[in-house]
Amino acid sequence: MDERERALDAAHRSANEFLVTLADRPVWPRASLEEMLDAFGGELPEHGTDPAAVIAEISERADPGLVAIPGGRFFGFVIGATHPAALAADWLVSAWDQNAGSSKLTPATVAMERVAGQWMLEVLGLPSSASVGFVTGGQLANFTCLSTARNAVLMRAGWDLAERGLRAAPPLRFVVGADRHGSIDRAARFLGIGRAEMIVVDSDDQGRMRAEALERALHESAGPLIVCLQAGEVHTGAFDDFSTLIPIARQHDAWVHIDGAFGLWAAASPSLRHLTNGIDQADSWATDAHKTLNVPYDCGMAIVRVPADSIAAFRTGGDYLIYSGLDPWDVTPELSRRARGVPAWAAMRSLGRTGIIALLDRLHQNAVAMAAGLRSVDGIEVLNDVDYTQVMFRLDTDDATRALGEAILADGTAAVTGAQWRGLATLRCSMSSWATTSDDIDRTVAAIRRLAAV
Ligand SMILES: *Cc1c(COP(=O)(O)O)cnc(C)c1O
């Protein structure tokens, strides 16, 4: 074997070694950042090392600092595992090293990305003519959609942003819900929309925007308008009532954007689709494949109803670039990039429509089972309606809740992460992994029962 083959062989072996330990290794990392800095630090070596030896070194040194995200008992944040077809396809992406911005340059990967986008629009019931920009994740998908929205609503108001800039532009109304994800605020910041300029609309006990509050906010203001709604609140999993809210926004000529990083996928399942009623009426949608579709990082999608709006915001100049219709670089802020559509194509090809539905239904059933198990533990209260994939719970005091959270991570059986909800300390379980079995739920509930009793 030559140097490259030996390196790839070493990576293959250590990847498998890691993956087979997932069932039993502690979920949370055993090593701290400082220990990992010690493990990887030191002077830049003066001389080279054989690539296979480097891979062996990485595997050995990283192991105590790795978190068992692809296993069945990581429930922190909202983080998906990796489907086998998507993982293996992602290895090919690195080996092929295609620069996936241009269809002339890299037709195979651009085709897979385009088809993956079409399949996704179909399973989610979104307009098949929409543009789908593959970006690094939900944060960049929100930014990409909102950047397109800003451009379009200003253009409708007679202001060409590309030509005249933002400084003297008509003031924009940027309307958000009280329980929006933090990435909306960050996207607004990148777009020159200040925190004090955002119009924040009240939400209900599950985090859903209140319709009468939206109506009031829109009547009390004027000017080009973007309304941000949400599919899947990160604590409760709640969905805004799109079929009520979107018509209200439409009456005021709004661009309606939906942050559906993990929630948009509910539309793929006949038993969960009711949560997303009316979702297809929006102008743009942000979602992640690396969450609910279980492809590796990084893979988010920025979906825009009218492709011409994406092109107006993002098509670049430069006479050395070759244009041919709607290329990936026409609809996102990126130029050179990874062929991140390939693992998305592989996941959908391998799962098929029924597999995608089964995945969604299982994530929901796991959430229901986890909530039932937690309710059976003395002192635990489940705080949200478990309509989708999120379960939020607490003990009777903030201190006891935080202590339980720390004890769960130290125990290592499972990982859940903490949050604040309506001023209370809580713990969150997010069901986002195809790998989670009912045995994983039972082991997790048993560990929490044991730890809550001390
Ligand atoms: C995770 C998440 C995001 C951000 O997505 P990234 O992929 O982490 O960039 C945005 N909105 C919601 C609702 C999320 O859950």
Side-chain angles (χ1 to χ4, degrees), residues 77-79 136-142 180-184 186 230-234 259-263 286-288 290-291 297 299-300 428:
F77 310 100
V78 183
I79 289 186
T136 54
Q139 170 72 73
L140 258 288
N142 278 325
R180 67 199 174 278
H181 190 265
S183 62
I184 295 290
R186 263 176 115 208
Q230 180 165 259
E233 201 281 334
V234 285
D259 176 5
F262 63 101
T287 195
D288 268 328
H290 61 218
K291 287 183 177 172
Y297 294 93
C299 194
R428 296 170 52 257

